[in-house]
Amino acid sequence: MSTADPTTHLNAALEGRYRIERELGEGGMATVYLADDLRHERKVALKVLKPELAAVVGAERFLAEIKTTANLQHPHILPLFDSGEADSFLFYVMPHVEGESLRTKLDRERQLPVDEAVRIATDMAEALDYAHRHGVIHRDIKPGNMLIHDGQPVISDFGIALAVGTAGAGRLTETGLSVGTPHYMSPEQATGDQTVGAATDIYALGCVLYEMLVGEPPYTGSTAQAILGKIIQAKGVSAAEARTSVPPNVDAAIRKALEKLSADRFTSAQDFAAALANPSFRHGDELAAGLLDGSGAWNRLSLSLAGVAVFSSSVAGWALFRPVPDAPVTRIELTPPANFEVQNFHRGFAVSPDGRTIVFADRSGQLFQRDVGELNPEPVQGTSDAWYPFFSPDGEWVGYFDQRAAALKKARLDRGDVQTLAQIPGGTRSAGWSPDGTIVFHTSVLDGLWRVPDTGGEPEQIPNSGGPVIAWMDMLPTGEGAVGHIVGTGERQVIAVSLETGERTILLAGRHPQYVSTGHLVFSREDALWVVGFDVDRLTTSGPPAPIVRGVALESSNNHVRYAVGGDLLLYEESGSSRGPVPLWAGRDGSQEPLDPMLTGNLAATTISPDGRMVAFEYIEGAGAQEDIWVYSLDQETFSRITFGGSRNIMPFWSPDGREVAFSSNRDGLFALYSRPVNLSGDTRLMFADPDDGLYEASWTPQGDGLVFRRGSGTTTGRLDIGYSAPHPDSATVLLVETEATEQNPSLSPDGRWIAYTSNESGQAEVYVRPFPGPGGRSQISTNGGINPVWARGGRELFYFDTSDGFFTVATVQSEPAFGVVSRDALFPGDPYLIGGGDLHWDVSPDNERLLLIGAVSRPDRSSRYVGIQNLSTLLGEIVAN
């Protein structure tokens, strides 16, 4: 071979597969060439391992190890197209990205705007988190391996360092070769530790973010040895010290990512991303700073007197300054004892300010108190005919309305001392108890809001509080304002009221607001509880509201929800009504389990996120049958709404990385495909619209570079076909299956090589599979009628509904040497599940052992069940942050 002309030799070795155009650059491990992929007619980046590295690693082991990275599919990870050996060359092939590397960008601009740098780092962290959860560590994160394409970053060479490091383990150091770039090497890499994990990539990403902000890596030196020495021994760095515009939480996140001990860094790249987005995140020394000045809990004198003790316990003391993890959200069931009737709580209930005690009344109006941890309630002596109890700020007293005596009363919980505070004509439902000893209430007879001292006296009307009736008052902790909702004006509206002036501020549509000490308002809409940020001083909300839980019981007379908040506990009564189809897990043996006992509603299409942690579904509500897309978190047992009315939003589907939920919507006329981030960090965007007909039953390709869908509703073009397009508004439809028959239910295999669908070309609906995107013939999967194919994770099985025997069926398939069915197994009957077209789509669990189906079953009456959500502040923080 002529070493002077490696391109000629390489072209000869790759003849018929790739044609080298020119060299693009050279890195520490490989030389990069721009090449033509002759088989697929596309430009690719072909990377050839350095000869000395290839000799150490060996072809067989390198190619075996690199296969582990081939299935990584993430929008911020450059996929691996191919790899192989050709005449002593070890090569691997990736897409050719039009753009530049982050290294080139930094060489030109040196420092990036803070927002841009954080965005790039966040995207990279999410890509790393995805890879780490799939067992792949990059090991060589650096600006040169990050490409910027259309403003979006992607990581290249993912897993190459792993393949090199694993295949050549024990031999690299013998030749002086190492995996990793000195400036971005973690301390464990710098010391030669071969056991590296996610913390190694997190450290490198921290270095890259530091460089994007400051203009140089955290540790520099004239030689590689000098750099590695600083990485191991030098004290920590601060981006904020070098650039004052860096926010404290970003600086804290970088410092945590760059900790010397891997155990002291973030436990996951996702945690790193979360810290970058959390303005209150702090780490390390800055947490102790408040203790070291005169305004802290200790002053300088007490520190000097305790100096020896502080020094001797420095290790233990440091642990106290580390962020305390949020308490986990837990749910408890609080069912009234057997001798209590269902109507017990219908007179209202209250939770104490510390969240430990519940007060409610039996049918006679006798008040009872119950500790959350106890089974049986204790009577509050001296109470009768009590309605709608409420607690004093110190939790020692409970106020209530005695409807028979038309009086406002209070009772001491520990000894039943009952006192009448004021006579109140007419009925009333709520009151608030101010820290200054004032009780504010409303009445159905007297206009406006009224107040009375908690020692008793003549009620006084709050000035200018007349007008539409204000109900369900809750006092704010300042004592200067209250929240409630107005009635008698059509749609209920949550308002804030100044108790000094009586001025009302309409906040949003809803009912039954209650202030939570975390700076939020909880309120209701229909049978759901929602949360929104709230500034107690300005009496204004912040950010969009988000749902907490659905299926809260409504009083039949007035649609008031039954819930109460106290301390860190939310207590509510579950709805006992049957509200239509419900989502159910169905095991292969036919066993049945609700997706969540508290999930109610008229649900249709369901789809599970790629990581199996969330479910998107179509929810139909209201008299107008409005359809919207919601997401349910299996981890947090919470709901979030993706679309907000104004059109039909149906048939959701997930992006490959699980960050977006896409759906069909007719918001602009014909049904088209739209997408929105699941955390609502961005607006809804149009992905693709066909000018000739509507688009339905869509899915992303595994690589995220295309959309597969059913085109046609049977009303415009007169038929239904299967189409494909790039996810861009200016793209065009490519019809994959176009016949005079009806084709629908497209489902792509996990590797993107095959598309399953339903067609009635034979005279009845059957399930078929074709190569994607083609060419090639079709294979029939069902034998005597079948619909709704759904691939199992892994692609070895295809589930469908057999219309001949009415059973859910699974076909085991093979793709080599040719596609075919190995076996078919009937699983369980379709009854009582709803089986149909795309509107009733279903999905398969990540472990392939359960189907998520819509069940046409009646829900049992559960009106006597009360659910408590403990550590509510953690839940609200998670919901609002998302």
Side-chain angles (χ1 to χ4, degrees):
M1 121 182 161
S2 170
T3 57
D5 188 14
T7 302
T8 300
H9 184 199
L10 189 57
N11 266 327
L14 297 171
E15 185 176 4
R17 297 177 64 184
Y18 301 98
R19 182 172 58 245
I20 305 298
E21 287 192 9
R22 67 179 187 276
E23 181 178 325
L24 294 176
E26 186 174 346
M29 291 189 293
T31 303
V32 188
Y33 298 92
L34 176 63
D36 289 315
D37 181 346
L38 301 178
R39 182 180 304 170
H40 300 98
E41 298 182 353
R42 59 186 176 185
K43 298 291 184 185
V44 295
L46 189 145
K47 303 190 177 187
V48 180
L49 224 59
K50 294 290 185 68
E52 62 271 26
L53 191 59
V56 171
V57 171
E60 184 176 350
R61 295 195 65 186
F62 174 76
L63 296 176
E65 292 294 339
I66 204 172
K67 286 181 181 178
T68 63
T69 71
N71 290 323
L72 292 180
Q73 303 293 338
H74 191 278
H76 296 300
I77 294 177
L78 203 63
L80 178 70
F81 278 169
D82 191 14
S83 62
E85 180 185 17
D87 192 14
S88 79
F89 292 109
L90 277 182
F91 69 91
Y92 55 98
V93 181
M94 292 183 162
H96 172 59
V97 175
E98 294 289 346
E100 63 180 354
S101 71
L102 180 59
R103 175 76 279 148
T104 301
K105 184 178 179 68
L106 289 175
D107 289 344
R108 182 180 66 252
E109 301 179 18
R110 189 169 178 268
Q111 292 173 293
L112 302 185
V114 173
D115 289 348
E116 181 181 6
V118 171
R119 177 183 61 81
I120 291 173
T122 300
D123 289 342
M124 296 297 92
E126 292 176 353
L128 288 174
D129 182 70
Y130 167 84
H132 295 164
R133 286 187 281 108
H134 287 76
V136 180
I137 310 299
H138 193 290
R139 297 189 178 199
D140 194 20
I141 291 294
K142 59 185 179 181
N145 280 337
M146 298 180 176
L147 306 179
I148 308 297
H149 176 60
D150 287 341
Q152 299 299 313
V154 291
I155 302 177
S156 68
D157 287 359
F158 215 109
I160 305 305
L162 171 64
V164 171
T166 303
R171 302 182 62 199
L172 293 176
T173 54
E174 298 173 8
T175 62
L177 296 171
S178 63
V179 176
T181 304
H183 289 105
Y184 313 98
M185 279 181 132
S186 65
E188 56 268 26
Q189 285 177 304
T191 56
D193 189 347
Q194 294 297 316
T195 306
V196 298
T200 298
D201 285 348
I202 293 171
Y203 182 95
L205 182 58
C207 292
V208 173
L209 177 54
Y210 181 94
E211 183 174 358
M212 286 192 287
L213 295 169
V214 175
E216 63 180 13
Y219 302 107
T220 59
S222 56
T223 65
Q225 289 77 10
I227 297 171
L228 296 179
K230 290 182 179 180
I231 289 172
I232 297 170
Q233 297 180 347
K235 69 175 185 178
V237 295
S238 167
E241 289 182 3
R243 184 175 176 183
T244 57
S245 60
V246 175
N249 68 299
V250 174
D251 181 59
I254 294 173
R255 288 189 287 103
K256 185 173 177 67
L258 298 183
E259 285 284 5
K260 305 295 185 187
L261 295 176
S262 59
D264 292 338
R265 297 174 209 145
F266 292 100
T267 56
S268 72
Q270 186 62 49
D271 289 344
F272 186 15
L276 293 175
N278 181 4
S280 63
F281 178 80
R282 298 294 182 268
H283 174 69
D285 292 341
E286 65 187 332
L287 292 176
L291 302 179
L292 297 177
D293 60 32
S295 62
W298 300 340
N299 57 31
R300 297 184 184 276
L301 176 59
S302 62
L303 274 177
S304 65
L305 293 175
V308 175
V310 171
F311 177 78
S312 63
S313 61
S314 59
V315 175
W318 176 84
L320 296 177
F321 302 143
R322 300 180 70 182
V324 178
D326 291 332
V329 178
T330 58
R331 283 167 170 76
I332 58 176
E333 183 174 343
L334 298 170
T335 304
N339 60 324
F340 278 71
E341 298 183 31
V342 171
Q343 288 83 1
N344 286 344
F345 282 12
H346 289 198
R347 289 172 173 255
F349 51 91
V351 180
S352 63
D354 61 7
R356 297 179 180 178
T357 304
I358 301 165
V359 167
F360 58 95
D362 67 9
R363 294 197 69 180
S364 69
Q366 166 71 57
L367 285 179
F368 286 80
Q369 60 177 315
R370 172 180 171 177
D371 288 344
V372 171
E374 300 293 333
L375 292 176
N376 296 311
E378 297 290 335
V380 180
Q381 299 297 328
T383 59
S384 63
D385 205 39
W387 290 78
Y388 306 110
F390 57 99
F391 273 92
S392 63
D394 60 11
E396 295 182 2
W397 294 80
V398 61
Y400 64 96
F401 297 96
D402 185 327
Q403 299 293 75
R404 186 182 300 275
L408 174 65
K409 296 182 177 182
K410 70 176 184 179
R412 181 141 185 150
L413 291 179
D414 59 355
R415 57 176 182 263
D417 178 15
V418 176
Q419 301 177 22
T420 298
L421 304 179
Q423 296 299 129
I424 301 175
T428 186
R429 289 185 177 273
S430 63
W433 202 320
S434 171
D436 66 2
T438 301
I439 295 176
V440 176
F441 62 91
H442 78 93
T443 168
S444 58
V445 175
L446 302 177
D447 188 31
L449 295 180
W450 295 73
R451 58 187 164 204
V452 65
D454 60 9
T455 55
E458 190 68 26
E460 172 193 23
Q461 186 177 25
I462 294 174
N464 304 314
S465 63
V469 175
I470 303 173
W472 296 95
M473 299 305 302
D474 186 47
M475 189 71 67
L476 297 174
T478 60
E480 298 176 355
V483 289
H485 74 250
I486 55 176
V487 299
T489 58
E491 183 181 33
R492 302 295 193 265
Q493 293 177 313
V494 174
I495 65 168
V497 184
S498 168
L499 299 182
E500 290 236 2
T501 65
E503 180 182 0
R504 308 178 181 207
T505 302
I506 295 177
L507 301 176
L508 39 72
R511 309 175 181 217
H512 319 108
Q514 190 158 351
Y515 179 75
V516 184
S517 61
T518 53
H520 299 99
L521 281 185
V522 174
F523 64 98
S524 72
R525 286 178 181 168
E526 296 184 339
D527 69 340
L529 295 178
W530 293 65
V531 62
V532 68
F534 184 71
D535 187 321
V536 72
D537 295 315
R538 299 182 180 179
L539 303 182
T540 57
T541 59
S542 60
I548 304 172
V549 65
R550 302 192 69 89
V552 181
L554 302 172
E555 289 191 26
S556 59
S557 61
N558 51 29
N559 274 351
H560 290 314
V561 296
R562 304 191 189 105
Y563 89 100
V565 175
D568 224 9
L569 174 69
L570 166 65
L571 177 67
Y572 67 94
E573 181 184 351
E574 274 194 328
S575 170
S577 61
S578 176
R579 302 191 59 227
V582 295
L584 299 166
W585 288 115
R588 287 179 182 245
D589 60 357
S591 59
Q592 193 180 92
E593 178 186 353
L595 174 66
D596 187 292
M598 290 180 285
L599 179 58
T600 65
N602 193 10
L603 311 183
T606 62
T607 177
I608 305 170
S609 65
D611 62 6
R613 298 168 64 182
M614 293 181 285
V615 173
F617 56 87
E618 177 186 321
Y619 177 70
I620 306 170
E621 62 181 335
Q626 174 63 48
E627 292 155 296
D628 277 303
I629 306 301
W630 290 69
V631 169
Y632 175 72
S633 169
L634 293 169
D635 292 340
Q636 302 174 10
E637 300 180 2
T638 57
F639 304 88
S640 59
R641 190 174 183 176
I642 301 301
T643 65
F644 294 88
S647 56
R648 294 186 62 201
N649 305 289
I650 60 176
M651 304 180 193
F653 58 101
W654 292 91
S655 63
D657 63 356
R659 295 175 61 189
E660 295 183 74
V661 175
F663 51 92
S664 298
S665 176
N666 64 348
R667 61 189 58 203
D668 292 319
L670 289 174
F671 276 93
L673 303 180
Y674 296 82
S675 180
R676 190 172 193 190
V678 69
N679 63 3
L680 303 184
S681 60
D683 294 330
T684 299
R685 65 182 177 93
L686 172 65
M687 291 199 297
F688 179 63
D690 188 307
D692 297 322
D693 215 331
L695 306 178
Y696 311 84
E697 296 188 272
S699 63
W700 249 293
T701 59
Q703 296 79 17
D705 57 358
L707 299 167
V708 173
F709 45 79
R710 163 173 56 99
R711 188 185 78 162
S713 58
T715 58
T716 305
T717 61
R719 66 187 191 203
L720 282 62
D721 298 308
I722 306 299
Y724 166 80
S725 170
H728 191 279
D730 296 330
S731 302
T733 297
V734 176
L735 290 177
L736 301 172
V737 187
E738 181 185 16
T739 72
E740 294 301 320
T742 292
E743 283 87 25
Q744 56 187 337
N745 313 142
S747 179
L748 271 176
S749 63
D751 62 5
R753 296 176 56 197
W754 309 95
I755 183 169
Y757 62 96
T758 302
S759 175
N760 64 356
E761 60 182 274
S762 67
Q764 69 175 356
E766 299 282 4
V767 174
Y768 299 93
V769 169
R770 289 175 178 262
F772 176 79
R778 59 172 174 76
S779 300
Q780 184 170 330
I781 306 302
S782 58
T783 57
N784 191 25
I787 59 173
N788 281 52
V790 180
W791 289 93
R793 310 288 173 104
R796 294 294 307 277
E797 294 179 312
L798 184 63
F799 293 85
Y800 63 94
F801 184 71
D802 189 316
T803 56
S804 63
D805 61 11
F807 269 67
F808 284 95
T809 303
V810 60
T812 301
V813 299
Q814 65 181 20
S815 57
E816 302 295 342
F819 192 93
V821 177
V822 177
S823 62
R824 298 177 183 86
D825 296 295
L827 298 179
F828 52 86
D831 185 38
Y833 304 104
L834 300 179
I835 314 300
D839 283 335
L840 294 170
H841 199 270
W842 43 281
D843 208 348
V844 181
S845 64
D847 62 3
N848 300 324
E849 293 302 316
R850 299 186 297 175
L851 306 184
L852 182 60
L853 300 164
I854 301 297
V857 295
S858 298
R859 299 178 60 84
D861 186 277
R862 294 178 286 115
S863 58
S864 62
R865 180 181 175 188
Y866 294 83
V867 177
I869 300 179
Q870 294 181 310
N871 301 318
L872 177 65
S873 57
T874 299
L875 177 61
L876 297 186
E878 292 170 349
I879 293 174
V880 174
N882 291 331

